[in-house]
Amino acid sequence: MKPLAIFLPAILLLACLALPAAALESKVLTISERTISADLGPSFEINRSALNISDNGIASQDILINNTASAGSAFISIMSVYDKVLGKMSPSSLSELFLVGGMSAVEARGDKETGNWTAVSAQGKNVTIHTMSTKDERIKMIGGSYDMAVWDLDRSTYAVLVSLLDRDNTTQIIKTLAVS
């Protein structure tokens, strides 16, 4: 009986070790490097800022596209949304929310919308571009107005554009801007 008394606890111990254990898991947020592209002429150059990560669920990186052949540039903020609540909103609703916030900010400093027009994005969606007039002396030197638009590049990535370029180049940016 003694051999059985020693053998039985050993079998119970092995049985406990063989039981499947529940794996520990949790969601984590990661940021991945992606490539941004736009088809513009050879006189354009691109510069980017450092990555900005906020506590409100949005990571962004700002890009400046300069036209070296003539006056004009475009500022683009590429925003990645990782907030749970914002992530549940439709891309068109979230684009509208970002646009309303941006328009409110520039209107609060005295800029006014003077018109709008539409371009088709690389994703095949209509993007409304709002033309804004301003009294900012730096912008007055090159016409006194700029174009502003917000659209989604994919389910969680958005572009906020402020362009001092002509309509053709602004349209070309919207038409070809993509992340991969």
Side-chain angles (χ1 to χ4, degrees):
M1 188 119 148
K2 279 191 177 189
L4 187 59
I6 294 174
F7 188 62
L8 193 56
I11 289 188
L12 285 172
L13 178 64
L14 287 174
C16 288
L17 292 175
L19 289 175
L24 296 175
E25 61 182 49
S26 179
K27 293 185 186 230
V28 295
L29 301 172
T30 62
I31 296 175
S32 62
E33 183 176 71
R34 296 173 72 187
T35 301
I36 187 170
S37 63
D39 295 332
L40 294 167
S43 65
F44 289 89
E45 64 184 16
I46 189 168
N47 297 300
R48 64 185 168 93
S49 70
L51 180 67
N52 301 309
I53 300 175
S54 69
D55 292 339
N56 61 3
I58 298 173
S60 67
Q61 189 159 25
D62 300 332
I63 295 167
L64 185 64
I65 298 174
N66 284 315
N67 186 348
T68 59
S70 64
S73 61
F75 167 85
I76 305 170
S77 183
I78 303 297
M79 299 177 10
S80 297
V81 176
Y82 60 89
D83 179 75
K84 274 190 200 178
V85 174
L86 293 177
K88 290 180 182 180
M89 293 178 69
S90 72
S92 60
S93 296
L94 199 49
S95 293
E96 185 70 19
L97 180 68
F98 291 145
L99 178 65
V100 168
M103 296 277 291
S104 295
V106 297
E107 287 172 344
R109 70 168 200 226
D111 296 1
K112 300 206 182 322
E113 183 174 4
T114 58
N116 62 58
W117 46 283
T118 304
V120 178
S121 72
Q123 297 75 28
K125 297 177 184 175
N126 286 336
V127 176
T128 302
I129 300 93
H130 302 269
T131 301
M132 308 295 292
S133 68
T134 183
K135 293 180 181 173
D136 186 318
E137 290 300 320
R138 296 169 295 175
I139 297 173
K140 275 197 163 267
M141 292 174 24
I142 53 175
S145 67
Y146 59 93
D147 294 312
M148 184 174 187
V150 179
W151 71 101
D152 62 288
L153 300 171
D154 62 27
R155 178 87 182 133
S156 64
T157 309
Y158 297 81
V160 177
L161 169 71
V162 175
S163 177
L164 296 168
L165 299 170
D166 61 38
R167 185 178 281 206
D168 290 339
N169 284 314
T170 299
T171 299
Q172 186 66 11
I173 289 172
I174 293 167
K175 187 168 102 174
T176 62
L177 187 70
V179 290
S180 56

